[in-house]
Amino acid sequence: MLHFDNCILNNPDREGGWKQMKQEQKQEPLLWVPDTDKEVLNKMFQNKLDRSYQRPSHLDILAQQAIVISKRSTCLFYEVGAAIFSGDIMLSSGYNGAARGDVDPRIAGCARVVDGKIQEGQGLCRGSHAELNAIGNLTSSTVGLEDLRMVVTLHPCFSCAKQIVNKKIKKVYYVWEYGREQGVTQYLIDRGVEVEKYSSVFLQRWIERNGYDPVGLRHQEL
C-alpha cells in the first residue's frame, strides 16, 4: 500500500504532487497477480512475474547481437563482432576474419604463423576487422544521421579508430578490453567520439549463462 504525506492530501496547492503519486500507483507492476488464477500464472514467463525483472534495453540487444555475430569469425585468435546503429535501429554488422574468397585459416593455418612460430607486427594477417567490415557492409547512406553509433565486442584498435572517425560515428560502446594498443581511447575522444565500456546486469547474466569468454583475451594469458 502507498502512504501519502498528509501535507499533500490536505494542501490544494500540491494537487500536482497528488496526481503524480496516483499516476505512479496506477503504473505499479503486477498488482493484478493476486486476482489471477494460479494455473494461468503458471503458464506465464515466471521471470516476468518477479518484481526484480527488467526488460533488456535496446543497447543490451545490440550488444548481444554483436557477440553472437562474432561467432562467425574465421580468425583462430580473436572473435570480434560489431554493429552500427542509429537510434534503436541496427544499420549493419560485421565480424573479423579473412576477406571474401580468401583461404579458410582452419584449412590453411594462420598467415602469421611461420615455421610454427607466430610473427607479430609484420603485416602477415589476412583478417579484416569487425569494425571495418561493419562500415563496409552499410547499404544505406548515413549522411545527415547525427547519432550514428557502434557497439563492438572488443575495444577498437588504431586502424579501426581512424575509420570510425572518418565515418562520423559519434559514440563507440565496447564490451571487453582489447589491451594491446595504448592511447586509442584518447585518440577517439580527441576527435569527438565518445567511448564507453558497456555492461548491464542483463548482459552479464546472459554472457555467463552462455559461457562466453572475454573474446580475444583468455588465450593471451596462456
Side-chain angles (χ1 to χ4, degrees):
M1 178 180 293
L2 294 178
H3 298 279
F4 301 116
D5 195 315
N6 287 335
C7 68
I8 294 178
L9 291 174
N10 299 325
N11 189 340
D13 293 335
R14 299 201 178 181
E15 184 179 357
W18 162 249
K19 287 182 178 179
Q20 181 180 353
M21 295 188 76
K22 287 191 68 176
Q23 185 67 22
E24 289 176 355
Q25 183 181 27
K26 288 180 182 178
Q27 293 177 348
E28 185 179 349
L30 303 179
L31 292 178
W32 47 270
V33 168
D35 298 323
T36 305
D37 190 282
K38 190 172 182 179
E39 289 187 9
V40 175
L41 293 174
N42 287 338
K43 294 179 180 179
M44 297 178 181
F45 288 103
Q46 297 305 297
N47 64 323
K48 292 186 178 181
L49 300 181
D50 190 317
R51 288 193 174 275
S52 65
Y53 171 78
Q54 289 185 335
R55 291 175 66 198
S57 68
H58 287 288
L59 191 51
D60 284 330
I61 300 303
L62 287 162
Q64 277 185 313
Q65 289 177 303
I67 294 171
V68 172
I69 288 165
S70 77
K71 307 309 289 183
R72 284 281 298 165
S73 169
T74 62
C75 179
L76 298 174
F77 291 94
Y78 296 93
E79 290 182 338
V80 188
I84 297 174
F85 61 102
S86 179
D88 299 328
I89 300 174
M90 188 168 76
L91 302 176
S92 73
S93 63
Y95 54 87
N96 67 314
R100 189 185 305 275
D102 205 338
V103 300
D104 183 343
R106 292 187 67 246
I107 297 173
C110 175
R112 293 189 302 155
V113 177
V114 180
D115 296 328
K117 302 292 184 180
I118 192 163
Q119 307 297 312
E120 296 281 7
Q122 296 188 24
L124 299 175
C125 180
R126 301 186 186 97
S128 177
H129 288 193
E131 299 95 317
L132 302 183
N133 289 335
I135 290 172
N137 288 338
L138 283 167
T139 57
S140 59
S141 173
T142 57
V143 174
L145 292 178
E146 298 297 329
D147 65 339
L148 200 61
R149 290 172 283 170
M150 173 184 283
V151 58
V152 60
T153 56
L154 279 187
H155 190 294
C157 67
F158 257 121
S159 293
C160 291
K162 288 182 279 189
Q163 296 310 311
I164 287 169
V165 172
N166 283 347
K167 197 59 187 174
K168 298 182 179 179
I169 292 171
K170 297 298 183 184
K171 187 163 186 174
V172 173
Y173 302 90
Y174 68 97
V175 181
W176 290 294
E177 298 284 354
Y178 180 43
R180 291 179 59 127
E181 294 184 343
Q182 301 298 317
V184 182
T185 298
Q186 194 60 49
Y187 172 87
L188 288 166
I189 292 172
D190 289 345
R191 284 150 186 83
V193 181
E194 292 184 65
V195 181
E196 179 181 327
K197 189 176 190 301
Y198 183 71
S199 182
S200 71
V201 172
F202 172 85
L203 185 62
Q204 289 306 311
R205 286 177 178 172
W206 180 79
I207 289 170
E208 292 168 6
R209 186 163 60 248
N210 288 280
Y212 289 114
D213 286 320
V215 280
L217 297 180
R218 180 173 58 87
H219 70 275
Q220 293 183 27
E221 300 171 358
L222 299 179

